[in-house]
Amino acid sequence: YYTGHDISPEFSINFWKEQKKIYSGNKTHQNSVDLAFATLFLNRSNMSGIINGGPIGGYSQNGTSQIYSRFNKKTLINKITTISSRKKQIRLTRKNALDMIPMIKKEISPSSCFIFFDPPYFGQGQNLYYSSFNKKGHELLSKEILSLHEYRWITTYDKTKQITDMYQDNNKNFEYHLRYSANNKKRGSAPELLFASPTLKIDSYDKVNLLSI
């Protein structure tokens, strides 16, 4: 794990700005530990974990939560250590999902995998992420996902009519509510959509109640 910085509840918004600069800057830090740390830090200290979402608690840090509230060193170290112990089982490709799905069909048997698709939001995707889809991109993705007839998969989305229409022929479609904190001034229960493959047995768990749609 990264030891180049002393992270504590007292770190300032200036430290956050330094990490944002590393992440958004030139190629000096490309493929470096500094860039890896900046990416991890921004994911943990930004609203909803979105790199482009702005710091938890705002730039003035006068919100009910501050930028360090989701940066638990012990938990993060344990997660990184676990991932490292399984590195021989992990393959990173950086491929677009539209390229990845044909590769999955060719190389991976349906019985040996479970797939979670996490596409950018339809409604606010272009405002929240550096890389997003337009409507046509979401339509193409839905067709590829729905073509995985024998595979076990799940995908989640923000609730929009356009996305519901794209998956209307799927027979395991659900709505659920999730605590939403992309805007720290107003927290609430935002409806989300979950689509699952016909081959997957799925049920509600803990505080997430799935309602069939």
Side-chain angles (χ1 to χ4, degrees):
Y1 58 92
Y2 189 64
T3 58
H5 299 282
D6 179 21
I7 303 300
S8 69
E10 290 75 34
F11 66 71
S12 68
I13 194 67
N14 287 331
F15 182 83
W16 180 92
K17 290 179 179 179
E18 289 175 12
Q19 303 313 307
K20 186 63 177 291
K21 185 177 180 180
I22 290 173
Y23 183 87
S24 306
N26 55 37
K27 296 183 179 180
T28 302
H29 299 284
Q30 189 174 19
N31 300 322
S32 69
V33 176
D34 284 334
L35 177 58
F37 175 80
T39 305
L40 172 65
F41 178 78
L42 292 174
N43 172 262
R44 293 290 85 194
S45 61
N46 281 12
M47 293 182 288
S48 296
I50 299 170
I51 297 294
N52 202 31
I56 295 172
Y59 290 95
S60 62
Q61 287 296 283
N62 60 1
T64 56
S65 299
Q66 279 72 47
I67 50 176
Y68 58 80
S69 21
R70 293 175 64 241
F71 198 97
N72 185 307
K73 286 194 291 184
K74 184 177 180 180
T75 299
L76 291 173
I77 289 171
N78 288 339
K79 288 182 177 181
I80 292 171
T81 301
T82 300
I83 292 171
S84 177
S85 71
R86 295 178 175 270
K87 61 185 177 183
K88 292 183 179 180
Q89 300 169 266
I90 298 172
R91 178 182 176 187
L92 300 178
T93 68
R94 298 183 66 184
K95 288 182 178 293
N96 186 292
L98 297 177
D99 299 320
M100 175 65 72
I101 292 174
M103 189 175 78
I104 290 173
K105 291 179 180 178
K106 183 178 179 180
E107 300 181 10
I108 303 175
S109 67
S111 61
S112 65
C113 71
F114 167 75
I115 310 167
F116 173 58
F117 295 99
D118 187 23
Y121 281 175
F122 182 87
Q124 291 294 324
Q126 293 182 346
N127 297 325
L128 295 174
Y129 309 105
Y130 285 108
S131 178
S132 186
F133 285 157
N134 56 22
K135 183 180 179 182
K136 184 64 176 179
H138 285 287
E139 289 175 344
L140 291 173
L141 178 61
S142 68
K143 290 178 181 179
E144 286 294 327
I145 292 175
L146 292 172
S147 73
L148 293 166
H149 304 295
E150 300 177 356
Y151 288 81
R152 291 167 294 180
W153 54 263
I154 282 177
T155 185
T156 55
Y157 264 107
D158 50 331
K159 184 181 179 181
T160 63
K161 183 181 184 303
Q162 293 91 332
I163 294 299
T164 302
D165 290 345
M166 292 177 198
Y167 288 86
Q168 63 181 343
D169 292 333
N170 191 51
N171 63 9
K172 287 191 178 179
N173 300 342
F174 305 91
E175 179 181 326
Y176 66 99
H177 288 257
L178 191 67
R179 293 292 297 176
Y180 182 69
S181 59
N183 181 347
N184 200 51
K185 296 180 181 179
K186 183 179 181 181
R187 296 183 180 224
S189 185
E192 301 266 344
L193 298 176
L194 184 149
F195 307 103
S197 64
T199 58
L200 190 65
K201 181 180 179 181
I202 188 167
D203 202 351
S204 299
Y205 177 77
D206 197 13
K207 298 179 181 180
V208 179
N209 185 29
L210 299 174
L211 303 174
S212 294
I213 57 174

